[in-house]
Amino acid sequence: MTSGLRRPAPAKAWIETEELARILDSTAEAIYGLDMQGNCMFCNSACLRFLGYKDPVELIGKKMHTMMHHSRPDGTPYPSEECRIYLAFRRGEGSHVDDEVVWRADGTSFPVEYWSYPIRKDNDLMGAVVTFVDITERRRAQYALQQSEEMFRQLAENIREVFFIMTPDPPRMAYISPAYEEVAGRPRQELYDRADAWIDLVHPEDRHQVVDVFEQSLRGVATAMEYRMRRPDGSVRSIHARSFPVQDSQGKLGRIVGLAEDITERKKALEEMKLARAAAEAANRAKSEFLANMSHEIRTPMNGIIGITDLLLDTQMTPEQTEYLQMVKTSADSLLMIINDILDFSKIEAGKLELESITFDLRESLEGVMKPLAIKAHNKGLELLLTVHPSVPTSVVGDPTRLRQILINLVGNALKFTERGEIVVEARKETERDDCTTFHFSVRDTGIGIPNDKQQLIFDAFSQADSSSTRKFGGTGLGLTISNRLVDLMGGRIWVESKLGRGSTFHFTVRLELRS
């Protein structure tokens, strides 16, 4: 491309050296010169590039206003008499315009900032020199900044929390959101006049702490505090406030930003919720204590019914009477089992269940549990197996009744949910310490299995893997919950491994002392 500072030979040479031409062609700003009629005398490469021309001959000798400044942004004519560039060679006045549009060769426009200055020789006006830069990116940045500021303003002015920005030295409120007037019942202007005016509203009993925290924030410490504010109408509000230091580019504390929220209603709701919860817990404890205390009164008549029924079954009766009485005994046994579960659960919930600590034969206890359960398994066509590892000692110290209860619950469930196959009970010693030993028990069945998403649910009170199970198989849904609580009381844990349709294995551990 021909240098932007060259012009046809007949014209007078305004630029006389190649070195000066190269300098002007190397600048990022567009530069061109005008004679006294507004015709282009020279233009640099940046000017050609911005305006979309390839050769200076396309501009030199032509009126620049007509070429590039003929219309306003909306396309209406821009008379040369109103163009401020013309002031430079008509009146000898320099001009600066920070935002105006010029037009390219292809008819498109773009925003520019320009400067025009008169050219003089021996105090006589010879023309003007004009410099301009494309400010498209600046406009975009300004628009983005305006959008950001607008979003910030909308956010700050519409949130219910009080948002503030403060400079620390001296303390001055740079911004306080309108929510302050709603929360404090005072005008924002008082904080612009005096940054710590809000402290006057703080409850006298909280003021010392608030002043201390405020001073910490002015030293650049992130703070959080809760205090009471007394509004002009006499009402007292609870406020939670936080502040965060913001450093400038030199790493010094530049400003402090923060939020203050009226939490009066939230605190009131939490207090009401706490009272309601305490009342519910008290009622639940009273219910559990009542049931626990009624344990003997409820069990005694049931045991009497079962005992008398057993005695009657040993007497001479007709087959029909025997059948009816056996039905009574079966129903009474089932009812007693349900009552026992509910009463045990109530005792646990009321914190009234205490474990025994006696010496017992662990192997004999396990075999004693299996005998009646083996009869039930046989009647159902199932095989019940017990495997006790050699590491399991004979004599231990603990609560044999509750250990048997856990095993009966787990094996009973396995019998209930297994139609064919086998049930295997296994016991082994897991870890041994000076004071006690952990034993691991497992009950494996070939029953219906438990879905993955239900395997934790089954340990919750009154829950089973399938709500239809209670109707189909019976039970309270408390067996596993009671077992879980008993295992916990015995220093162990309980869990299940199961695959739907392929059976389940329940594991639990307990800690028992060894007796030599």
Side-chain angles (χ1 to χ4, degrees):
M1 185 174 81
T2 308
S3 170
L5 296 169
R6 301 288 190 274
R7 53 172 243 153
K12 183 176 179 180
W14 286 84
I15 304 300
E16 299 180 350
T17 67
E18 289 291 332
E19 183 177 359
L20 182 56
R22 282 195 299 272
I23 290 172
L24 293 178
D25 270 346
S26 300
T27 63
E29 293 84 4
I31 303 174
Y32 65 89
L34 299 173
D35 61 18
M36 294 298 289
Q37 285 73 44
N39 299 319
C40 180
M41 297 185 294
F42 67 85
C43 58
N44 70 349
S45 297
C47 179
L48 294 173
R49 185 175 66 255
F50 282 143
L51 297 178
Y53 295 98
K54 295 182 178 179
D55 196 289
V57 72
E58 297 179 77
L59 292 177
I60 291 176
K62 297 178 181 177
K63 288 191 178 296
M64 288 298 284
H65 187 82
T66 302
M67 300 297 291
M68 59 173 281
H69 217 197
H70 49 76
S71 302
R72 301 185 188 278
D74 60 1
T76 58
Y78 190 173
S80 60
E81 294 79 14
E82 299 177 16
C83 179
R84 293 181 61 180
I85 293 174
Y86 276 52
L87 296 177
F89 59 84
R90 286 180 176 169
R91 300 195 327 213
E93 297 176 3
S95 295
H96 169 231
V97 176
D98 59 9
D99 193 348
E100 203 165 79
V101 302
V102 297
W103 298 81
R104 299 184 183 94
D106 62 4
T108 60
S109 64
F110 61 99
V112 297
E113 179 180 8
Y114 68 78
W115 298 260
S116 64
Y117 298 99
I119 299 175
R120 289 184 172 88
K121 185 177 182 180
D122 298 331
N123 291 325
D124 293 328
L125 279 173
M126 304 293 293
V129 61
V130 181
T131 303
F132 68 87
V133 292
D134 186 340
I135 61 169
T136 303
E137 291 305 317
R138 185 198 302 174
R139 266 193 178 182
R140 288 194 185 119
Q142 287 174 340
Y143 178 75
L145 180 61
Q146 288 171 355
Q147 290 294 101
S148 177
E149 290 175 346
E150 179 63 17
M151 285 190 292
F152 166 79
R153 186 189 64 78
Q154 291 174 350
L155 173 65
E157 293 186 2
N158 288 284
I159 59 174
R160 60 185 298 272
E161 294 84 0
V162 179
F163 176 72
F164 62 88
I165 303 174
M166 188 170 60
T167 55
D169 190 19
R172 186 182 67 83
M173 192 63 69
Y175 176 81
I176 182 77
S177 66
Y180 174 79
E181 297 183 353
E182 181 179 348
V183 171
R186 300 277 298 178
R188 286 185 290 167
Q189 186 58 45
E190 68 181 9
L191 297 182
Y192 291 118
D193 297 336
R194 182 166 62 89
D196 61 353
W198 60 276
I199 296 178
D200 297 342
L201 300 174
V202 174
H203 194 285
E205 294 178 8
D206 300 338
R207 196 167 297 169
H208 178 75
Q209 174 207 356
V210 167
V211 170
D212 182 58
V213 174
F214 179 66
E215 290 174 352
Q216 289 181 46
S217 69
L218 294 178
R219 294 195 297 269
V221 178
T223 67
M225 62 178 167
E226 187 176 316
Y227 59 89
R228 290 166 294 172
M229 173 183 286
R230 193 187 298 277
R231 289 163 50 94
D233 62 6
S235 62
V236 176
R237 312 296 291 178
S238 294
I239 308 296
H240 181 265
R242 292 171 292 163
S243 72
F244 308 92
V246 179
Q247 296 179 339
D248 60 20
S249 57
Q250 284 75 42
K252 296 181 180 180
L253 180 63
R255 58 187 178 276
I256 300 154
V257 299
L259 287 169
E261 181 182 6
D262 185 342
I263 59 170
T264 307
E265 297 305 320
R266 186 195 308 171
K267 288 194 70 172
K268 182 180 178 183
L270 286 173
E271 188 61 31
E272 290 175 351
M273 190 183 302
K274 189 184 298 183
L275 292 172
R277 182 176 179 179
E281 289 175 348
N284 189 53
R285 281 195 303 272
K287 174 210 69 177
S288 298
E289 288 175 2
F290 170 76
L291 287 173
N293 291 331
M294 288 296 292
S295 172
H296 177 71
E297 285 74 8
I298 294 175
R299 281 191 176 105
T300 298
M302 282 305 305
N303 287 327
I305 293 170
I306 293 171
I308 295 299
T309 304
D310 286 334
L311 290 174
L312 284 172
L313 285 170
D314 289 336
T315 63
Q316 292 293 325
M317 291 183 295
T318 66
E320 187 177 14
Q321 289 173 328
T322 301
E323 181 185 355
Y324 290 159
L325 201 57
Q326 188 62 54
M327 290 171 61
V328 171
K329 184 180 185 312
T330 301
S331 298
D333 286 339
S334 297
L335 181 57
L336 183 60
M337 188 179 300
I338 292 172
I339 290 172
N340 285 338
D341 279 352
I342 294 173
L343 293 175
D344 282 344
F345 178 73
S346 299
K347 271 191 174 182
I348 293 171
E349 289 291 289
K352 289 185 173 291
L353 185 68
E354 296 181 0
L355 296 180
E356 288 186 311
S357 183
I358 62 174
T359 301
F360 67 99
D361 188 319
L362 180 54
R363 289 174 172 269
E364 185 180 290
S365 184
L366 292 173
E367 291 171 359
V369 170
M370 293 301 111
K371 285 180 182 178
L373 293 171
I375 297 172
K376 290 185 178 181
H378 177 74
N379 291 337
K380 200 173 179 181
L382 301 173
E383 189 172 3
L384 177 61
L385 304 174
L386 171 64
T387 300
V388 181
H389 286 231
S391 61
V392 175
T394 300
S395 185
V396 294
V397 178
D399 191 330
T401 303
R402 296 306 178 183
L403 180 59
R404 283 195 296 268
Q405 184 176 357
I406 297 168
L407 285 166
I408 290 170
N409 279 338
L410 295 181
V411 177
N413 272 353
L415 287 169
K416 187 187 298 184
F417 296 108
T418 303
E419 296 298 330
R420 62 180 64 86
E422 64 180 11
I423 298 166
V424 179
V425 179
E426 187 175 353
R428 68 175 185 272
K429 186 170 70 173
E430 193 166 78
T431 59
E432 184 174 350
R433 295 182 182 176
D434 294 337
D435 55 343
C436 65
T437 299
T438 299
F439 293 90
H440 185 152
F441 300 87
S442 63
V443 178
R444 175 172 56 83
D445 65 54
T446 55
I448 60 176
I450 305 167
N452 288 336
D453 60 338
K454 304 290 187 180
Q455 290 180 16
Q456 287 303 314
L457 176 68
I458 59 174
F459 294 105
D460 294 340
F462 308 104
S463 296
Q464 291 184 333
D466 182 353
S467 60
S468 64
S469 297
T470 301
R471 295 190 296 273
K472 182 177 180 181
F473 299 104
T476 60
L478 288 173
L480 289 176
T481 303
I482 293 170
S483 299
N484 186 22
R485 305 290 178 87
L486 291 175
V487 165
D488 185 61
L489 288 172
M490 298 172 79
R493 65 187 185 97
I494 189 170
W495 69 99
V496 64
E497 298 170 350
S498 183
K499 288 187 178 179
L500 195 61
R502 297 179 62 180
S504 306
T505 301
F506 281 84
H507 301 265
F508 72 93
T509 60
V510 296
R511 287 190 291 180
L512 302 170
E513 294 181 26
L514 296 180
R515 181 61 54 131
S516 56

